[in-house]
Amino acid sequence: MVGGMTEMRVETVTTYDGWYALHDFRTMDWAKWAGASAKVKEQALSEFQSLLGSWQETAGAEEGSHAVYSIVGQKADLMFMLLRPTMKELNKAELAFSKSLLGQYTKPNYSFVSIIEKSSYTKQYDNPYEDPEMRQKLFTQIPMDDYICFYLMSKLRGETYNWFQLPKEDRGNLMFEHIETAKPFTKEVKRIVTGAMGLDDYEWGVSLFCEDPLQFKKLIYDTRFDEVSAKYGIFGSFYIGYRIEQEDMATYFEV
Amino acid sequence: MVGGMTEMRVETVTTYDGWYALHDFRTMDWAKWAGASAKVKEQALSEFQSLLGSWQETAGAEEGSHAVYSIVGQKADLMFMLLRPTMKELNKAELAFSKSLLGQYTKPNYSFVSIIEKSSYTKQYDNPYEDPEMRQKLFTQIPMDDYICFYLMSKLRGETYNWFQLPKEDRGNLMFEHIETAKPFTKEVKRIVTGAMGLDDYEWGVSLFCEDPLQFKKLIYDTRFDEVSAKYGIFGSFYIGYRIEQEDMATYFEV
Amino acid sequence: MVGGMTEMRVETVTTYDGWYALHDFRTMDWAKWAGASAKVKEQALSEFQSLLGSWQETAGAEEGSHAVYSIVGQKADLMFMLLRPTMKELNKAELAFSKSLLGQYTKPNYSFVSIIEKSSYTKQYDNPYEDPEMRQKLFTQIPMDDYICFYLMSKLRGETYNWFQLPKEDRGNLMFEHIETAKPFTKEVKRIVTGAMGLDDYEWGVSLFCEDPLQFKKLIYDTRFDEVSAKYGIFGSFYIGYRIEQEDMATYFEV
Amino acid sequence: MVGGMTEMRVETVTTYDGWYALHDFRTMDWAKWAGASAKVKEQALSEFQSLLGSWQETAGAEEGSHAVYSIVGQKADLMFMLLRPTMKELNKAELAFSKSLLGQYTKPNYSFVSIIEKSSYTKQYDNPYEDPEMRQKLFTQIPMDDYICFYLMSKLRGETYNWFQLPKEDRGNLMFEHIETAKPFTKEVKRIVTGAMGLDDYEWGVSLFCEDPLQFKKLIYDTRFDEVSAKYGIFGSFYIGYRIEQEDMATYFEV
Amino acid sequence: MVGGMTEMRVETVTTYDGWYALHDFRTMDWAKWAGASAKVKEQALSEFQSLLGSWQETAGAEEGSHAVYSIVGQKADLMFMLLRPTMKELNKAELAFSKSLLGQYTKPNYSFVSIIEKSSYTKQYDNPYEDPEMRQKLFTQIPMDDYICFYLMSKLRGETYNWFQLPKEDRGNLMFEHIETAKPFTKEVKRIVTGAMGLDDYEWGVSLFCEDPLQFKKLIYDTRFDEVSAKYGIFGSFYIGYRIEQEDMATYFEV
């Protein structure tokens, strides 16, 4: 296992990488917010609308994308999903909210830093960054569907089953089976996979988008029986939320 | 194990899904509450009664169900169990309490987002959503029993024992044994199982209802020796509480 | 392993169950307490003495038992051990302290909900609840010894060693060995075992009582080499405290 | 493995036990402290000097020992190491600081309750508590070296490697190898091992003392390759600090 | 395995150790900071600039090095990387910030205490501390690259795969393979490895520096398939940040 190692080395896989991504979860301090004066609330919301407006301009110029969700349950109240061409722009957007008046009524609770990633297991490109179809996937607008399901994932490096010691061909076959299982859902459930090796603690984040959250459950349920998920999948938290439309913002924060 | 995989793929199981569920745990800030003026307390409780009243109307219209429990020990003070036809309605109810005056005297500590789930291991339906008996299980009122036992559960994906790699028939047999063990308790202990794959971190939540909490212990004790629990069960926290009746609310919050 | 399962099912063990138990750990907010006026402190302690007085009446009527401990180290400052015939009475006592003036100067940090449990591995009873000796164990006053050692325990369900898949006879033998090891300590170290399956996260709580805390260490040290502890024991936190006598309360809270 | 067990039982080891030990970690609330008036600061420090003075008297009377360290990094600011003949005296010293004015500007974060322990693997005593050399180890003054390294340790009870199922002779051999590895450091690095079975969560605490913290790293590095550490060692947090001398106290708290 | 142990003992590896290192992560309390008066903010920033100035003098005198980063995501806002010849100087710098006015608007969240370490697997030195090339690595200025990736790492001591029971030659071969994989990145990605055995919880910290954060991901991705990472690597949190230049400080803290 040790001698002559370099000949036996497991082949890696090439990835194609797009915009950087930040999933930014915040908890409202409702008691503090309820105690704010009407004037402060108005100022905070108007400032927040300006911030969203500037982000909308960025999206319009195809230099990023964003969406705001209400998270169901106590894991968070708000979640911002932000896509930007550079890490600095990501941090700039994050800090803009943290420093904003509304942001001061929230507490940070979780975030995930990653980058839109396409692996080459199923298809390889010579010039991925020139390919229009690939570019469309790497530098994409966040789908407008009502619901989001975001979850964290790593691959097992167990003493018996070790994803990173499997031959590339086997890994490719397992990914292929996985994609087959997911196929019946492809139309209804959109997907952005972001890679985070070297950037955050879990290796991948998966953002699913759908009009009907039951489809998230059915998709995850079915794929859980795939060999790749059953044997090699390490799953972190699952977050479920729905998009807060511009016109519902006022209602959302009304207290 | 890898070649010819698709032929060997483990068969999944169909689930029938009903109302969405939120188990919402809150801790009272008793010091802050004790410091509130009599007038504020009165207003907070009256507002809370109105909220419960509106939830009662929803239940009356068979568009959901709810119950409020006092949790024993420090894991929480209050627990709301909420059932609704959509995720948005679930979140709306959650936010209504969070924003309420009483809610501002509580701190969030845990929640579980799931959906009422019936598996088809023991019985399959052609048109489950047309079947009155099945509908009665999927869209159900929360039992009025005095005590609740709520716990989280996932199935092991170990390197030796892996639930999601077992053939469907074996999984069915193990579930059948489990149901046999639980049979002596069926009359006294009612049960709502909710599935959370893709929605929350544990795969299932189990809500048991009984007039005598000792039966929870005896049921869990006996089933712990079932092969399905002993080998494949991963258990999260167990929460024990009793229903706060409408007429006991005032006493509960008196300080 | 799966076919013909019901014949092979591991035999469970009958338990005899007594009073419900709450181990309730609190941390003093010493800075806030030091800042309270002499009058508030006096009122808080006098109210607390009344609460202890009413608990003492309950104990006198043999409808429960209680003790208050000072916990060594930062895991907690105070620990209440409470025994009551029903869960509701347990929660009532807990809430009485939480709402009390002194309680408002404490922060909750850990609790354990369980029930006094005697297993039948070593001796079986036809009518345990009629047997005076057994009744004495199930509905018991907390020993008056100076020191308490409280710890949490579950039994391993590993992929190789699985307590809940061992034949009942083997489990009985292992328990017997364990009892033999503990025998030299029986006189000096008293013991109340409470079961929490279905009630709390660990399966058992063990409360040891002694005049000399070194005996706790020697007992746990020796039994750690028992096969049942070495192979199957999962241990949670260990808490060490000493009883705060009624006459030492004033000194304890003096700041 | 189960039948005839008592014959096969693993032999335990006798321990000799000395003073009780508390490692008490505190975090300064620097913002609150900076905001205190000069008068309050002066009073807090003068009160603290008195407390240290009374502890010094205890040490002078050979009824205990203590030292105060500044911990490097954010795990804590201050660490008190306290040795006392009884648990009650330990708790009394702990509470004295908690209630003190300076203590009110700190937050508790971690503590470890244990007792000075010498095992008898390498040498057995008939009357250890009469032996002057052994007494010197069990009831010892904390070394005055500049630096402390404190860490937590338990022994593995794995499904393959299980310390508490190894024959006593093998355990003795492994300990002997460990001591051999540590020998080159014996002169420079002093050591107090405290046992915590039944008293706290980890089984042992190790306090190392040296003038040069690099020696801690070299010692731990070398011993990590010992079979006893490599296979059976479970390590908790490592804390590094340096002794705050009486004359540097004022500077330490100056803000 | 036990008899004749000392002959079989795994050979350790010599390390060469340089400056002590502190990675110090802080979270801004933006709400509190926003609420500070313009005068207080100005004073806090001016005091902070003085502190940085004095650290710059230390660096100029080649008695240490430092850098300040903005961390992307909610793991922290600021990260200080500090190098100093002694632990006491490290703690002095840490305390200087903690006590500073700006420091009072931050909350500690994570730190890592270690020392610059070069192992001798690939090259051995007779007088490493006399060798100019080695000195340059052990007592080094932090690279000025825009981005940092900092992560924690330990080596597995599993029941099957145990790094600290592998022969030294095998460990050397595995490290050699690892270095080969990283070679294509050597030019673009700079690296400071710090060892923390006996000093902190993880065994090593790795600080990578680059102008393009995507290279961090590609490097970690590729090396994850190395046998040493895949089988023996235990990874802690990954932190990504970018250097806040002196001239951008004012903008960073503007709110």
Side-chain angles (χ1 to χ4, degrees):
Chain A
M1 153 197 357
V2 175
M5 234 165 2
T6 47
E7 282 83 350
M8 297 171 48
R9 199 177 177 274
V10 166
E11 198 185 341
T12 62
V13 64
T14 305
T15 61
Y16 310 127
D17 303 277
W19 279 339
Y20 288 94
L22 179 69
H23 294 76
D24 193 357
F25 296 82
R26 309 270 176 160
T27 298
M28 281 295 289
D29 186 336
W30 289 112
K32 190 179 165 192
W33 177 247
S37 71
K39 200 180 149 191
V40 163
K41 277 184 203 135
E42 203 180 331
Q43 190 192 333
L45 291 177
S46 133
E47 203 186 88
F48 182 52
Q49 291 288 9
S50 300
L51 182 62
L52 291 177
S54 78
W55 289 356
Q56 199 49 51
E57 279 180 42
T58 305
E62 303 220 330
E63 288 171 349
S65 182
H66 71 279
V68 187
Y69 298 93
S70 173
I71 297 296
V72 186
Q74 298 176 5
K75 281 175 186 163
D77 284 300
L78 298 172
M79 193 267 270
F80 298 101
M81 180 170 173
L82 283 157
L83 302 177
R84 289 290 182 275
T86 70
M87 276 278 184
K88 284 189 188 174
E89 286 160 289
L90 218 46
N91 191 227
K92 200 184 147 194
E94 177 197 358
L95 282 174
F97 181 73
S98 292
K99 292 177 177 180
S100 76
L101 193 46
L102 184 60
Q104 292 169 31
Y105 289 88
T106 68
K107 294 175 197 159
N109 53 28
Y110 182 68
S111 67
F112 190 68
V113 177
S114 54
I115 185 167
I116 296 180
E117 172 187 315
K118 301 296 296 178
S119 77
S120 59
Y121 282 119
T122 48
K123 193 174 170 183
Q124 304 215 359
Y125 290 80
D126 286 335
N127 297 301
Y129 301 104
E130 311 296 314
D131 181 88
E133 192 195 353
M134 180 52 86
R135 285 195 66 85
Q136 166 63 20
K137 287 172 181 169
L138 295 178
F139 311 102
T140 188
Q141 290 299 311
I142 297 167
M144 300 287 290
D145 299 65
D146 263 22
Y147 285 94
I148 189 171
C149 166
F150 175 69
Y151 64 95
L152 291 322
M153 206 187 68
S154 290
K155 286 286 200 293
L156 187 70
R157 295 178 291 117
E159 294 191 300
T160 305
Y161 297 111
N162 189 325
W163 177 258
F164 295 94
Q165 291 284 284
L166 277 187
K168 188 181 174 184
E169 196 194 331
D170 292 354
R171 299 197 318 267
N173 284 341
L174 288 168
M175 290 309 290
F176 183 79
E177 179 201 31
H178 194 46
I179 291 163
E180 284 298 302
T181 307
K183 242 179 203 167
F185 297 92
T186 314
K187 228 180 201 163
E188 229 177 315
V189 183
K190 302 178 190 75
R191 205 171 61 136
I192 297 179
V193 176
T194 56
M197 268 191 237
L199 306 180
D200 213 320
D201 305 0
Y202 279 90
E203 293 167 351
W204 291 277
V206 180
S207 303
L208 303 176
F209 305 89
C210 192
E211 295 295 335
D212 171 17
L214 183 55
Q215 300 312 308
F216 296 143
K217 178 170 179 274
K218 291 198 169 293
L219 169 59
I220 300 294
Y221 212 127
D222 279 7
T223 53
R224 187 61 51 96
F225 291 91
D226 290 340
E227 196 177 338
V228 67
S229 296
K231 278 195 187 157
Y232 298 99
I234 295 172
F235 298 100
S237 278
F238 284 79
Y239 298 88
I240 274 283
Y242 65 88
R243 202 176 176 108
I244 312 180
E245 305 286 349
Q246 190 84 354
E247 62 264 30
D248 297 334
M249 283 293 170
T251 309
Y252 184 85
F253 290 103
E254 197 180 320
V255 57
Chain B
M1 154 197 353
V2 175
M5 236 166 0
T6 48
E7 282 84 352
M8 299 170 46
R9 198 176 177 275
V10 167
E11 198 185 341
T12 62
V13 63
T14 304
T15 61
Y16 310 129
D17 304 276
W19 279 340
Y20 287 94
L22 179 69
H23 293 76
D24 193 357
F25 295 81
R26 310 271 175 158
T27 297
M28 280 295 289
D29 186 336
W30 289 111
K32 190 179 165 193
W33 177 245
S37 70
K39 201 180 150 189
V40 162
K41 277 184 204 135
E42 202 181 332
Q43 192 192 333
L45 291 177
S46 134
E47 204 187 86
F48 182 52
Q49 291 288 8
S50 299
L51 182 62
L52 291 177
S54 78
W55 289 357
Q56 198 50 51
E57 280 180 41
T58 305
E62 303 217 332
E63 288 170 350
S65 184
H66 72 278
V68 187
Y69 298 93
S70 172
I71 298 297
V72 186
Q74 298 176 6
K75 281 176 185 161
D77 284 301
L78 298 172
M79 194 267 271
F80 298 101
M81 180 170 173
L82 282 158
L83 302 176
R84 289 290 182 274
T86 68
M87 277 279 185
K88 284 189 189 175
E89 287 161 289
L90 218 46
N91 191 228
K92 202 184 145 194
E94 177 197 358
L95 281 174
F97 181 73
S98 292
K99 293 177 178 180
S100 74
L101 193 46
L102 183 60
Q104 293 169 31
Y105 289 88
T106 67
K107 294 174 196 160
N109 53 27
Y110 183 68
S111 68
F112 189 67
V113 178
S114 55
I115 185 167
I116 296 179
E117 174 188 313
K118 300 296 295 179
S119 76
S120 59
Y121 281 119
T122 48
K123 193 174 169 184
Q124 304 216 358
Y125 290 80
D126 286 336
N127 297 302
Y129 301 103
E130 311 297 314
D131 182 87
E133 193 196 352
M134 181 51 87
R135 286 195 64 84
Q136 167 62 20
K137 287 173 181 167
L138 295 178
F139 311 102
T140 188
Q141 289 300 310
I142 296 167
M144 299 287 289
D145 299 65
D146 262 22
Y147 284 95
I148 190 170
C149 166
F150 174 69
Y151 65 94
L152 290 322
M153 206 188 68
S154 290
K155 287 286 201 293
L156 187 71
R157 294 177 292 115
E159 293 191 299
T160 306
Y161 298 110
N162 190 325
W163 177 258
F164 295 95
Q165 291 284 284
L166 277 188
K168 187 181 175 184
E169 198 193 329
D170 292 354
R171 300 197 318 267
N173 284 342
L174 289 168
M175 290 308 290
F176 183 79
E177 180 202 30
H178 194 46
I179 290 164
E180 285 296 304
T181 307
K183 241 177 204 168
F185 297 93
T186 315
K187 228 178 199 165
E188 230 178 313
V189 183
K190 302 178 190 77
R191 204 172 61 137
I192 297 179
V193 175
T194 56
M197 268 191 237
L199 306 180
D200 214 319
D201 305 0
Y202 278 91
E203 293 168 352
W204 289 279
V206 181
S207 303
L208 303 176
F209 305 89
C210 192
E211 295 295 335
D212 171 16
L214 183 55
Q215 300 312 308
F216 297 143
K217 177 170 180 275
K218 291 197 168 294
L219 169 59
I220 300 295
Y221 213 127
D222 280 7
T223 52
R224 186 63 49 97
F225 292 91
D226 291 340
E227 196 178 337
V228 67
S229 297
K231 278 195 188 157
Y232 299 100
I234 296 171
F235 297 100
S237 278
F238 283 79
Y239 297 88
I240 275 283
Y242 65 87
R243 201 177 178 108
I244 312 179
E245 305 287 349
Q246 189 84 355
E247 62 266 29
D248 297 333
M249 283 293 172
T251 310
Y252 184 85
F253 290 103
E254 198 180 319
V255 57
Chain C
M1 154 195 356
V2 175
M5 235 165 1
T6 48
E7 282 84 351
M8 299 169 47
R9 198 177 177 273
V10 167
E11 198 184 342
T12 61
V13 64
T14 304
T15 61
Y16 311 127
D17 303 277
W19 278 340
Y20 287 94
L22 180 68
H23 294 76
D24 193 358
F25 296 80
R26 310 270 176 161
T27 297
M28 280 296 289
D29 186 336
W30 290 110
K32 189 179 165 192
W33 177 247
S37 70
K39 200 179 149 190
V40 162
K41 276 182 205 138
E42 201 180 332
Q43 191 192 333
L45 291 177
S46 134
E47 203 186 86
F48 182 52
Q49 291 287 8
S50 299
L51 182 62
L52 291 177
S54 77
W55 290 356
Q56 199 49 51
E57 280 180 40
T58 304
E62 303 217 333
E63 287 170 350
S65 183
H66 72 280
V68 188
Y69 299 92
S70 172
I71 298 297
V72 185
Q74 298 176 5
K75 281 175 185 164
D77 285 300
L78 298 172
M79 194 266 272
F80 299 101
M81 179 169 174
L82 283 157
L83 302 176
R84 289 290 182 273
T86 69
M87 277 279 185
K88 285 189 188 176
E89 287 160 288
L90 217 46
N91 190 227
K92 202 184 144 195
E94 177 197 359
L95 281 173
F97 181 73
S98 292
K99 293 177 178 181
S100 75
L101 193 46
L102 183 60
Q104 293 168 32
Y105 290 87
T106 68
K107 293 175 198 161
N109 54 26
Y110 182 69
S111 67
F112 189 67
V113 178
S114 55
I115 185 167
I116 295 180
E117 173 188 314
K118 301 296 294 178
S119 76
S120 59
Y121 281 119
T122 48
K123 192 173 170 185
Q124 303 216 357
Y125 290 80
D126 287 334
N127 297 302
Y129 301 103
E130 312 296 314
D131 182 88
E133 192 196 352
M134 180 52 87
R135 284 195 66 84
Q136 168 62 20
K137 286 173 182 168
L138 296 178
F139 311 102
T140 189
Q141 289 300 309
I142 296 168
M144 298 287 289
D145 299 64
D146 261 22
Y147 284 95
I148 190 171
C149 166
F150 174 69
Y151 65 94
L152 290 322
M153 206 188 67
S154 290
K155 287 286 200 295
L156 187 70
R157 294 178 292 114
E159 293 191 299
T160 305
Y161 297 111
N162 190 324
W163 178 257
F164 295 95
Q165 292 283 285
L166 276 188
K168 186 181 174 183
E169 198 194 328
D170 292 355
R171 299 197 318 266
N173 285 341
L174 288 167
M175 290 308 290
F176 183 79
E177 179 201 30
H178 194 46
I179 290 163
E180 284 297 304
T181 306
K183 245 178 201 166
F185 298 92
T186 315
K187 230 181 198 162
E188 229 178 313
V189 183
K190 303 178 189 78
R191 203 171 61 136
I192 297 178
V193 175
T194 57
M197 269 191 235
L199 305 180
D200 213 319
D201 304 1
Y202 278 91
E203 292 167 353
W204 290 278
V206 181
S207 303
L208 304 176
F209 306 89
C210 193
E211 295 296 333
D212 171 16
L214 182 56
Q215 300 312 309
F216 297 144
K217 176 169 180 274
K218 291 198 168 292
L219 169 59
I220 301 294
Y221 213 128
D222 279 7
T223 52
R224 187 61 50 96
F225 292 91
D226 291 340
E227 195 177 337
V228 66
S229 296
K231 278 195 186 156
Y232 299 100
I234 296 171
F235 298 100
S237 278
F238 284 78
Y239 297 89
I240 275 282
Y242 64 88
R243 201 176 179 107
I244 312 179
E245 305 287 348
Q246 190 84 358
E247 62 266 30
D248 297 333
M249 283 292 171
T251 309
Y252 185 86
F253 291 104
E254 199 179 320
V255 58
Chain D
M1 158 196 352
V2 175
M5 235 165 0
T6 47
E7 282 84 349
M8 299 169 47
R9 201 179 175 272
V10 167
E11 199 185 342
T12 62
V13 65
T14 304
T15 62
Y16 311 127
D17 305 276
W19 278 339
Y20 288 94
L22 180 68
H23 293 76
D24 193 357
F25 296 81
R26 310 270 174 160
T27 298
M28 280 296 288
D29 186 336
W30 290 111
K32 191 179 163 192
W33 178 247
S37 70
K39 200 179 149 190
V40 163
K41 276 183 206 138
E42 201 180 333
Q43 191 191 334
L45 291 177
S46 133
E47 203 186 87
F48 182 52
Q49 292 287 9
S50 299
L51 182 62
L52 292 177
S54 78
W55 290 356
Q56 198 49 50
E57 280 180 42
T58 304
E62 303 220 331
E63 288 170 349
S65 184
H66 72 279
V68 187
Y69 298 92
S70 172
I71 298 297
V72 185
Q74 299 176 5
K75 281 176 185 165
D77 285 299
L78 297 172
M79 194 265 272
F80 298 103
M81 180 169 174
L82 282 157
L83 302 177
R84 288 290 181 274
T86 69
M87 277 279 185
K88 283 190 188 175
E89 287 160 288
L90 218 46
N91 191 226
K92 202 185 144 194
E94 176 196 359
L95 281 173
F97 181 73
S98 292
K99 292 177 178 179
S100 75
L101 193 46
L102 183 61
Q104 293 168 32
Y105 290 87
T106 67
K107 293 175 197 161
N109 55 26
Y110 182 68
S111 68
F112 189 67
V113 177
S114 54
I115 184 167
I116 295 181
E117 173 188 314
K118 300 296 296 179
S119 76
S120 58
Y121 281 119
T122 48
K123 190 173 171 186
Q124 303 215 359
Y125 290 80
D126 286 336
N127 297 301
Y129 301 105
E130 311 296 314
D131 182 88
E133 191 197 352
M134 180 52 88
R135 283 196 67 84
Q136 167 62 19
K137 287 173 181 167
L138 296 178
F139 312 103
T140 188
Q141 289 299 312
I142 297 167
M144 298 288 290
D145 300 64
D146 262 22
Y147 285 95
I148 189 171
C149 165
F150 174 69
Y151 64 95
L152 291 322
M153 206 189 66
S154 291
K155 286 286 199 296
L156 187 70
R157 295 178 292 115
E159 294 191 299
T160 305
Y161 297 111
N162 190 324
W163 177 258
F164 295 94
Q165 291 284 284
L166 276 188
K168 187 181 173 182
E169 198 194 328
D170 293 354
R171 298 197 319 266
N173 285 340
L174 289 167
M175 290 308 290
F176 183 79
E177 179 201 28
H178 194 45
I179 290 163
E180 285 296 304
T181 307
K183 245 180 200 164
F185 298 92
T186 314
K187 229 180 200 165
E188 230 179 314
V189 183
K190 303 179 189 75
R191 202 172 62 137
I192 297 178
V193 176
T194 57
M197 269 191 235
L199 306 180
D200 213 319
D201 304 1
Y202 279 91
E203 293 166 352
W204 290 278
V206 181
S207 303
L208 304 176
F209 306 89
C210 193
E211 295 296 334
D212 171 16
L214 182 56
Q215 300 312 309
F216 297 143
K217 177 170 179 273
K218 293 202 167 289
L219 169 59
I220 300 293
Y221 213 128
D222 279 6
T223 52
R224 187 62 50 96
F225 292 91
D226 290 340
E227 195 177 339
V228 67
S229 297
K231 278 195 186 157
Y232 298 100
I234 296 172
F235 298 100
S237 278
F238 284 78
Y239 298 88
I240 275 284
Y242 64 89
R243 201 176 178 107
I244 312 179
E245 305 287 348
Q246 191 86 355
E247 62 264 29
D248 297 333
M249 283 292 171
T251 310
Y252 184 85
F253 290 104
E254 198 180 321
V255 57
Chain E
M1 156 195 354
V2 176
M5 235 164 2
T6 47
E7 282 83 348
M8 300 170 47
R9 198 176 177 273
V10 166
E11 198 186 342
T12 62
V13 65
T14 304
T15 61
Y16 310 128
D17 303 277
W19 278 340
Y20 288 95
L22 179 68
H23 293 76
D24 194 357
F25 296 81
R26 310 270 176 160
T27 298
M28 281 295 290
D29 186 336
W30 289 111
K32 191 179 163 192
W33 177 247
S37 70
K39 200 180 148 189
V40 163
K41 277 184 204 136
E42 202 179 332
Q43 190 191 335
L45 292 177
S46 135
E47 202 186 89
F48 182 53
Q49 292 287 10
S50 300
L51 182 61
L52 291 177
S54 77
W55 289 357
Q56 197 51 50
E57 280 180 41
T58 306
E62 304 220 331
E63 289 170 349
S65 183
H66 71 279
V68 187
Y69 299 92
S70 173
I71 298 297
V72 185
Q74 299 176 5
K75 281 176 186 163
D77 284 300
L78 298 172
M79 194 267 270
F80 298 102
M81 181 169 173
L82 283 156
L83 303 176
R84 288 290 182 275
T86 69
M87 276 279 184
K88 283 188 190 175
E89 287 160 288
L90 217 47
N91 191 226
K92 202 184 144 194
E94 176 196 359
L95 282 173
F97 181 73
S98 292
K99 292 177 177 179
S100 75
L101 193 47
L102 183 61
Q104 293 169 32
Y105 290 88
T106 67
K107 294 175 195 160
N109 53 28
Y110 182 68
S111 67
F112 190 67
V113 178
S114 54
I115 184 167
I116 296 181
E117 173 187 315
K118 300 297 295 178
S119 77
S120 58
Y121 282 119
T122 48
K123 190 174 171 184
Q124 304 214 0
Y125 289 81
D126 286 335
N127 297 302
Y129 301 104
E130 311 296 314
D131 182 88
E133 191 196 353
M134 180 52 86
R135 284 196 67 84
Q136 166 64 20
K137 286 172 182 168
L138 296 178
F139 311 102
T140 189
Q141 290 299 310
I142 297 167
M144 299 287 290
D145 301 64
D146 262 22
Y147 285 95
I148 190 172
C149 166
F150 174 69
Y151 64 95
L152 290 321
M153 205 188 67
S154 290
K155 286 287 199 293
L156 187 70
R157 295 178 291 115
E159 294 191 299
T160 305
Y161 297 110
N162 189 326
W163 178 258
F164 295 94
Q165 290 284 285
L166 277 188
K168 187 181 173 183
E169 197 195 329
D170 293 353
R171 298 197 319 268
N173 285 341
L174 288 167
M175 290 309 290
F176 183 80
E177 179 200 30
H178 194 45
I179 291 163
E180 284 296 303
T181 306
K183 243 178 202 165
F185 298 92
T186 314
K187 230 181 200 163
E188 229 178 317
V189 183
K190 303 178 190 75
R191 203 171 62 136
I192 297 178
V193 175
T194 57
M197 269 192 235
L199 306 180
D200 213 319
D201 305 1
Y202 279 91
E203 294 167 351
W204 291 277
V206 181
S207 303
L208 304 176
F209 305 89
C210 193
E211 295 295 334
D212 170 16
L214 182 56
Q215 299 313 309
F216 297 143
K217 177 170 180 271
K218 292 200 169 290
L219 169 59
I220 300 294
Y221 213 128
D222 279 7
T223 53
R224 187 61 50 96
F225 292 91
D226 290 340
E227 196 177 337
V228 67
S229 297
K231 277 195 187 157
Y232 299 100
I234 295 172
F235 298 100
S237 277
F238 284 79
Y239 297 87
I240 275 283
Y242 64 89
R243 201 175 177 107
I244 313 180
E245 305 286 349
Q246 190 86 354
E247 62 264 30
D248 297 333
M249 283 292 171
T251 309
Y252 184 85
F253 290 104
E254 198 181 320
V255 56

